[in-house]
Amino acid sequence: EVQLLESGGGLVQPGGSLRLSCAASGFTFSSYAMSWVRQAPGKGLEWVSSVSGSGDTTYYADSVKGRFTISRDNSKKTLYVQMNSLRAEDTAVYYCAKSSGATCYSVVDTWGQGTLVTVYS
Amino acid sequence: DIVMTQSPDSLAVSLGEVATINCKSSQSVLYSSDNKNYLAWYQQKAGQSPKLLIYWASTRESGVPDRFSGSGSGTDFTLTISSLQAEDVAVYYCQQYYSIPFTFGPGTKVDIK
């Protein structure tokens, strides 16, 4: 069974940093692109970033470009996102998501349970 | 960026009746090289993570009941629930994975009338 378990969420002040992790199991991690998608309280879904299965290709939403860095450790079957210069508008549940293929241009077929990031002043 | 719009914002349907949700993209998500529409539908129940229902605009994900179907091509798409069940109460999102950024529609809330 495919499982994605996020961790690392919490409270942080504006300008602060946080690193989220997503531990994957039940599939050949390196064969699939992975993404982070977020959902602000009471709002819709927003794609944040994606990384290819090999880790050599990454993409970012303009809203986080230059502040967030997605990465993966295929030996540890873990996805990360380093979030710097956090803003109030980054407050959201962050979902780790698995794609159906190695390229980022493939549909997200599995979602984690999400981890809440709250940026407060 | 490709802007995704959905209609209606919400709808209430009687049990066993048909629910229809529309999704429109600001530009075509049909990739000519493979003739596939890079369009997916997700269901999100209250307090839960999203769940993939439909990809390539009309391919049902494994395990998804056949009362869910997707149709459309290019810029106009539809999700149809042929016989609404109580467990289908949720918010439904369309998403294009044709070009970066991978944008979602605003969601359509489906309730029981």
Side-chain angles (χ1 to χ4, degrees):
Chain A
E1 180 192 3
V2 174
Q3 290 195 356
L4 301 171
L5 186 60
E6 301 96 334
S7 60
L11 299 172
V12 62
Q13 291 187 325
S17 298
L18 215 54
R19 187 176 86 154
L20 305 183
S21 301
C22 172
S25 61
F27 63 102
T28 304
F29 185 68
S30 60
S31 294
Y32 298 93
M34 298 292 294
S35 298
W36 291 98
V37 178
R38 68 185 181 184
Q39 186 169 36
K43 302 298 183 183
L45 300 169
E46 180 189 15
W47 171 81
V48 172
S49 181
S50 295
V51 59
S52 62
S54 64
D56 58 3
T57 303
T58 58
Y59 300 104
Y60 298 92
D62 285 347
S63 58
V64 306
K65 198 172 295 182
R67 300 188 299 122
F68 288 16
T69 302
I70 192 172
S71 62
R72 62 191 297 160
D73 186 332
N74 286 344
S75 67
K76 295 183 178 179
K77 299 182 180 180
T78 303
L79 175 72
Y80 305 98
V81 62
Q82 176 67 43
M83 305 186 295
N84 299 330
S85 303
L86 283 162
R87 306 166 180 166
E89 54 265 36
D90 295 319
T91 293
V93 172
Y94 285 73
Y95 293 103
C96 168
K98 168 190 167 292
S99 289
S100 62
T103 170
C104 294
Y105 291 84
S106 49
V107 68
V108 165
D109 62 9
T110 309
W111 301 66
Q113 87 289 345
T115 187
L116 177 62
V117 172
T118 304
V119 184
Y120 74 103
S121 56
Chain B
D1 297 3
I2 296 178
V3 177
M4 307 299 291
T5 56
Q6 290 182 230
S7 62
D9 295 335
S10 64
L11 73 161
V13 176
S14 300
L15 290 172
E17 296 301 307
V18 177
T20 302
I21 301 169
N22 299 301
C23 172
K24 189 175 183 68
S25 57
S26 61
Q27 61 190 78
S28 176
V29 298
L30 175 62
Y31 189 40
S32 56
S33 295
D34 58 15
N35 200 36
K36 290 182 176 180
N37 288 282
Y38 283 57
L39 189 286
W41 288 97
Y42 296 92
Q43 174 194 65
Q44 187 177 31
K45 297 180 180 180
Q48 297 185 16
S49 305
K51 172 188 173 183
L52 175 65
L53 296 177
I54 303 284
Y55 58 98
W56 301 137
S58 61
T59 301
R60 198 179 304 113
E61 172 72 333
S62 175
V64 172
D66 60 8
R67 63 180 179 272
F68 291 93
S69 63
S71 63
S73 184
T75 61
D76 292 278
F77 303 91
T78 301
L79 175 70
T80 302
I81 309 173
S82 62
S83 175
L84 192 75
Q85 304 300 303
E87 60 265 33
D88 300 334
V89 169
V91 178
Y92 293 83
Y93 296 93
C94 61
Q95 185 215 14
Q96 63 82 18
Y97 48 105
Y98 177 87
S99 70
I100 298 292
F102 298 139
T103 43
F104 290 87
T108 294
K109 185 175 182 181
V110 174
D111 272 319
I112 304 297
K113 185 186 293 182

